[in-house]
Amino acid sequence: MSIDLIPLNLRELNTLIRAAQDRHRALTEREPAAKIRRMLIAQAQRVGYTIEELFGLDAEQPRPTPKGLRRRKRARVEPKYRDPDNRRNTWTGRGRMPRWLAAKTKHGRSVADFLIPGVAKLTPKAPATGRRRLVKQS
C-alpha cells in the first residue's frame, strides 16, 4: 500500500500521522487472537459448553459462502496451442494470450503456427452483428 503524500498540506499530514499512530497503538496494545481464542475455549469449558455449541461452527472449519457468491467450477479444456521450443507452454485459446505466444507473434509469426496438429482448429471470427448499410457514392 502506498499513499501519495505530495499533495497533502501540513495539517493533513499531521492528521494522517496521528491517525497512523492511534492505529499502531491499538494494534500493539491488544492481546493476540490466539490467546483470546484459548481464553474463550477455556471459559466455555468451565460452564459446560464447547465453542461449536456456542458459535455453531467448528473453529477449524471455514465459514460457508452465501449461495449467490459460490463460483461454479469450469469444465477442463484441452490445450489448443503449444510452444515448439518448450512443450510445457500451452494455451487453451481462452482468456488473454500468454506471454510466450504474444512474444512470438510480435516477431511476425502467426497464431496458427502454434496450433496442436490433429487436436485444434482455428476458431472462426464471430460474424458481424447488425445490418449492413448501403451507401450511395456520388
Side-chain angles (χ1 to χ4, degrees), residues 1-18 20:
M1 180 185 86
S2 64
I3 300 173
D4 188 15
L5 302 175
I6 307 277
L8 299 180
N9 62 29
L10 184 60
R11 186 172 47 135
E12 292 170 335
L13 276 173
N14 286 334
T15 305
L16 181 65
I17 290 169
R18 261 186 260 111

Side-chain angles (χ1 to χ4, degrees), residues 1-137:
M1 180 185 86
S2 64
I3 300 173
D4 188 15
L5 302 175
I6 307 277
L8 299 180
N9 62 29
L10 184 60
R11 186 172 47 135
E12 292 170 335
L13 276 173
N14 286 334
T15 305
L16 181 65
I17 290 169
R18 261 186 260 111
Q21 287 172 340
D22 291 343
R23 180 69 180 145
H24 183 267
R25 190 177 312 107
L27 289 175
T28 55
E29 290 175 356
R30 72 181 188 179
E31 298 289 333
K35 183 177 178 182
I36 301 299
R37 187 179 301 116
R38 284 192 302 269
M39 287 173 38
L40 287 173
I41 291 171
Q43 180 67 26
Q45 286 175 347
R46 260 185 250 128
V47 290
Y49 288 100
T50 65
I51 291 295
E52 292 79 22
E53 288 176 318
L54 294 176
F55 295 107
L57 290 176
D58 186 12
E60 302 299 318
Q61 190 178 31
R63 299 179 102 181
T65 57
K67 200 169 198 171
L69 297 178
R70 289 188 188 140
R71 296 186 74 158
R72 64 181 177 93
K73 287 192 173 184
R74 292 188 170 209
R76 179 156 166 76
V77 180
E78 293 299 316
K80 192 173 181 180
Y81 302 94
R82 177 172 283 133
D83 184 3
D85 300 334
N86 183 354
R87 303 198 54 80
R88 295 165 103 201
N89 288 342
T90 59
W91 182 43
T92 61
R94 295 184 177 185
R96 283 185 66 178
M97 186 182 293
R99 289 184 192 150
W100 64 267
L101 187 56
K104 294 195 182 211
T105 55
K106 185 178 176 183
H107 295 295
R109 293 186 67 182
S110 170
V111 176
D113 298 340
F114 300 98
L115 280 171
I116 300 173
V119 176
K121 298 177 187 169
L122 268 179
T123 307
K125 290 191 176 188
T129 57
R131 302 177 103 196
R132 284 191 168 184
R133 245 175 146 188
L134 292 176
V135 178
K136 200 179 221 183
Q137 294 183 359

